[in-house]
Amino acid sequence: MDKQVKYGKQVREELKKGVNMICDPVRSTLGAKGRLVAIFDSLRGLHVTKDGYTVAKSIKSDKTQSIAINIVMQAIDNTNSTVGDATTTTAILCKSLVNGGLDAIDKGYEPLELITGIEKALDFVREELMRVSVPVDDRIAQIAKISGNNRQDIGDILEEAFSEAGTHEDSSIKCYLTEDDKTTVDIQSGYKIERGFLRDAYINDASGKCVYKNPYILMIHAKITNFRDFMPLLNKCVEAKRALVVIADKFEGEFLNSVSISLQKQVQQLETQGGGYFQQIGLIQNPMALQSADEMYGDIAAVVGSKGSHLTTIINDINLEDLGTAEEVIISRANSLIISGGGNQEDVDAKIKALRVQLADDDELTPFQKSVIKGRIESLCGTHATIRVGGANEVEVLELKDLYDDALSAVRAALKEGIVCGGGTAFLRIARRMRDMKYVKKNKWYNVFGAVSSEQAGWNLLHDALLSPFDNIMNNAGLDTKSVSKKILTKDFDFNIGYNILKNEVVNMISEGIIDPAMAERVAIENAVSVASLMYNMDGVVVEDMRK
């Protein structure tokens, strides 16, 4: 296929069109009075949402404009994967920086110096966000409510989930869809393994689960094939009259069949003899990839107090004192739960602390490695909340699930770096402070804002971008940005004074619960600057010629 070659101003115009194509539908969702967007896909059908990330993912184009769309989408993806919130803010910031910067380049400003000015301004924004952020304290419900389209029920549900699972950034909380018409929270306590029972034949409780009281727990970092190897250890468990739960890399079909036959024979003997001891055997297959299995077995050993059984594959050498214990193990169809393990809690806490340090300090971790570590922390923390999102119909449930995901991510981000005043107010006030900043050049002080050099123009571009989220929120609410900003900026004595668009009055945003995670704001502006830097330096493109 032939190629189209474009360069210079022609490229910049196409890039702006692509950025506007993805950002304009997204920005209409921002704020308490943001609008819904209907997305129709021939495969998935209709999806109505106020989630900016979902809207952005649905937008496609061809030729040069698709380059801009893909670049902005990468930034939105990065924001979503890092904090799971502020994706709409990222898009709005991208639009302002790209359109303003490319226009400046057309007027003769130097791209590299523009980027230098923007990066200096970005450093200032980071410092300001850190300076003004405050701890979450008892504001979880408020954070979730604001991120969840101002729905109080979302705030209440997430407050309940965090109160049970712990108010820390790696609390074990997950959201799933349900066919019920109501949203509920299920709480489980214990070490959770994301694997359920292997066969229905192993179910031993009226609840439809496999329940083992006060069992021994054996971990084998290997594939299990031969049931006979277990007989000596099973006989010891019979003498102790305690169940045996085995956690292994994999159980072969022959082994599973032998376990089923053993259980059936015991049932028949009990029926014939009219009583006796029933030796229960629980099986859990390790869900982790082989490269992560060692760490998982070590975590479980700390929880259950195992003295090294997971370090050997020779079952005949294992004694009862080498095994772990727990008050109860419950294996359901979806997962397994080890309740009140016999290990030392101090050892478990030490593991959690070490994993958190590794997550924070190791810059070379891949996204997959980070997700594995986060999963290990969640399991070790011991209390797990599952939010089952229900609704009247599929369209409502999908929209509600988007809102819960956003709200959950917002709370996690807030727990990491604190909160700032919401509604675009934090960026608006930081922009106001940028107008008063000065910089020194050749031993002389210059006003940064309104200056004429390319570097100074870069500073101004970021200033203007910071105003855009507030501007969009006001526009979506049908309010005049200039008159509202004038009302609140006259009250410079308090950084947190902003405008409640639902009440149409000037308020203290923190006190009103109109708040944003500081981390989400930081990541959004960082990713938008990354997009701008790339597009400012782009002067030519080669794309397939779709006209033929």
Side-chain angles (χ1 to χ4, degrees):
M1 182 177 285
D2 293 341
K3 304 290 184 181
Q4 278 184 285
V5 180
K6 298 181 181 180
Y7 56 90
K9 186 172 182 178
Q10 186 182 17
V11 169
R12 290 191 286 274
E13 289 299 319
E14 291 294 312
L15 290 176
K16 284 192 286 185
K17 288 180 182 178
V19 170
N20 293 338
M21 185 179 295
I22 187 171
C23 295
D24 284 344
V26 172
R27 67 177 180 167
S28 67
T29 67
L30 186 66
K33 291 191 176 181
R35 313 299 174 83
L36 295 171
V37 175
I39 303 167
F40 183 79
D41 185 284
S42 57
L43 295 176
R44 299 177 181 87
L46 179 65
H47 185 183
V48 179
T49 184
K50 191 176 175 287
D51 178 48
Y53 180 65
T54 302
V55 175
K57 286 193 300 181
S58 70
I59 297 171
K60 310 291 180 185
S61 183
D62 55 18
K63 301 186 292 186
T64 310
Q65 295 171 18
S66 68
I67 295 174
I69 290 173
N70 288 334
I71 292 172
V72 173
M73 192 63 229
Q74 286 177 13
I76 293 173
D77 269 332
N78 287 339
T79 300
N80 186 64
S81 62
T82 304
V83 293
D85 192 31
T87 51
T88 301
T89 301
T90 302
I92 290 169
L93 294 168
C94 283
K95 177 182 170 69
S96 177
L97 284 172
V98 171
N99 286 340
L102 295 183
D103 285 344
I105 292 170
D106 285 339
K107 293 175 182 177
Y109 287 92
E110 171 59 38
L112 292 179
E113 290 186 20
L114 284 175
I115 294 169
T116 300
I118 287 176
E119 289 178 344
K120 287 184 177 180
L122 177 61
D123 288 339
F124 176 79
V125 173
R126 287 193 188 106
E127 291 172 1
E128 284 294 288
L129 286 172
M130 186 180 300
R131 184 181 67 82
V132 302
S133 68
V134 297
V136 172
D137 295 332
D138 59 351
R139 302 184 182 95
I140 284 179
Q142 294 173 325
I143 298 166
K145 175 186 173 183
I146 293 298
S147 184
N149 199 19
N150 219 42
R151 291 187 54 149
Q152 186 62 51
D153 57 334
I154 292 178
D156 293 341
I157 288 284
L158 278 170
E159 183 178 45
E160 179 185 351
F162 273 96
S163 67
E164 294 289 346
T167 52
H168 42 79
E169 64 194 67
D170 39 35
S171 299
S172 179
I173 302 173
K174 290 182 170 58
C175 297
Y176 296 102
L177 297 175
T178 180
E179 294 181 357
D180 295 338
D181 59 355
K182 293 183 179 180
T183 298
T184 58
V185 182
D186 295 335
I187 305 298
Q188 294 178 308
S189 296
Y191 182 94
K192 193 174 185 179
I193 303 173
E194 296 296 339
R195 276 292 175 90
F197 52 72
L198 299 172
R199 292 187 177 180
D200 288 351
Y202 302 157
I203 295 173
N204 63 2
D205 190 78
S207 64
K209 300 175 182 179
C210 306
V211 180
Y212 306 96
K213 302 286 187 180
N214 194 29
Y216 285 113
I217 299 173
L218 167 68
M219 291 170 289
I220 298 292
H221 189 358
K223 181 167 61 176
I224 307 300
T225 58
N226 193 342
F227 185 72
R228 293 179 182 175
D229 293 341
F230 278 83
M231 292 309 299
L233 185 59
L234 275 174
N235 288 333
K236 295 174 184 177
C237 291
V238 170
E239 292 175 7
K241 292 188 176 182
R242 292 173 67 175
L244 176 66
V245 173
V246 184
I247 306 171
D249 293 348
K250 189 176 181 180
F251 298 97
E252 289 291 340
E254 181 181 347
F255 177 85
L256 295 176
N257 291 335
S258 298
V259 172
S260 298
I261 292 170
S262 172
L263 295 175
Q264 290 172 1
K265 284 183 177 179
Q266 289 190 75
V267 171
Q268 293 172 356
Q269 289 174 357
L270 289 175
E271 290 175 348
T272 303
Q273 299 172 4
Y277 176 71
F278 185 86
Q279 178 57 44
Q280 295 180 326
I281 307 169
L283 306 178
I284 304 173
Q285 194 159 287
N286 186 352
M288 304 291 281
L290 287 177
Q291 61 266 34
S292 306
D294 283 333
E295 290 85 354
M296 177 183 167
Y297 286 123
D299 293 345
I300 299 175
V303 170
V304 302
S306 171
K307 299 177 178 61
S309 68
H310 62 293
L311 301 177
T312 180
T313 59
I314 304 174
I315 300 172
N316 288 334
D317 292 343
I318 298 174
N319 296 310
L320 293 183
E321 56 267 24
D322 299 321
L323 303 178
T325 60
E327 285 187 11
E328 190 173 37
V329 174
I330 301 174
I331 309 176
S332 68
R333 192 173 297 277
N335 52 59
S336 304
L337 204 63
I338 301 173
I339 300 172
S340 298
N344 188 327
Q345 187 58 43
E346 291 182 358
D347 293 339
V348 176
D349 292 341
K351 273 188 170 289
I352 294 171
K353 183 177 180 180
L355 288 170
R356 286 175 174 161
V357 170
Q358 182 184 0
L359 200 59
D361 296 348
D362 193 340
D363 296 331
E364 296 183 359
L365 290 172
T366 66
F368 173 75
Q369 289 171 326
K370 288 180 180 179
S371 69
V372 169
I373 292 173
K374 288 179 181 178
R376 290 174 60 195
I377 294 173
E378 288 179 1
S379 292
L380 286 166
C381 282
T383 302
H384 315 277
T386 301
I387 300 172
R388 304 193 185 280
V389 183
N393 54 62
E394 184 179 0
V395 174
E396 178 188 342
V397 170
L398 290 173
E399 161 63 4
L400 196 54
K401 173 68 161 50
D402 288 340
L403 293 177
Y404 270 101
D405 287 339
D406 282 352
L408 176 57
S409 298
V411 174
R412 291 194 191 282
L415 289 167
K416 284 185 180 180
E417 297 184 13
I419 55 173
V420 293
C421 48
T425 310
F427 278 163
L428 178 70
R429 290 197 172 274
I430 291 173
R432 178 62 176 263
R433 290 183 177 179
M434 289 175 70
R435 296 177 69 95
D436 301 326
M437 288 295 295
K438 296 178 182 292
Y439 82 108
V440 65
K441 187 175 183 180
K442 294 183 179 178
N443 297 321
K444 187 176 180 180
W445 285 96
Y446 291 85
N447 286 324
V448 174
F449 190 81
V452 293
S453 74
S454 294
E455 185 174 315
Q456 291 167 302
W459 179 282
N460 298 346
L461 284 169
L462 193 68
H463 164 278
D464 293 347
L466 292 179
L467 300 177
S468 57
F470 181 83
D471 184 53
N472 276 272
I473 290 172
M474 293 303 115
N475 287 338
N476 288 341
L479 299 172
D480 179 66
T481 303
K482 288 185 179 180
S483 63
V484 174
S485 60
K486 186 177 180 180
K487 288 180 182 178
I488 63 176
L489 289 176
T490 55
K491 300 180 181 294
D492 256 342
F493 58 88
D494 191 339
F495 186 92
N496 297 320
I497 294 296
Y499 198 78
N500 185 331
I501 61 175
L502 296 179
K503 294 182 178 179
N504 283 322
E505 62 183 20
V506 176
V507 298
N508 183 303
M509 304 294 269
I510 299 290
S511 300
E512 286 283 303
I514 305 173
I515 46 188
D516 285 324
M519 181 181 180
E521 302 290 89
R522 174 182 63 78
V523 171
I525 192 67
E526 287 174 346
N527 284 327
V529 167
S530 176
V531 168
S533 300
L534 185 60
M535 291 197 186
Y536 291 179
N537 278 315
M538 196 174 294
D539 199 52
V541 298
V542 180
V543 295
E544 291 181 350
D545 191 345
M546 306 299 291
R547 296 171 297 182
K548 296 186 177 182

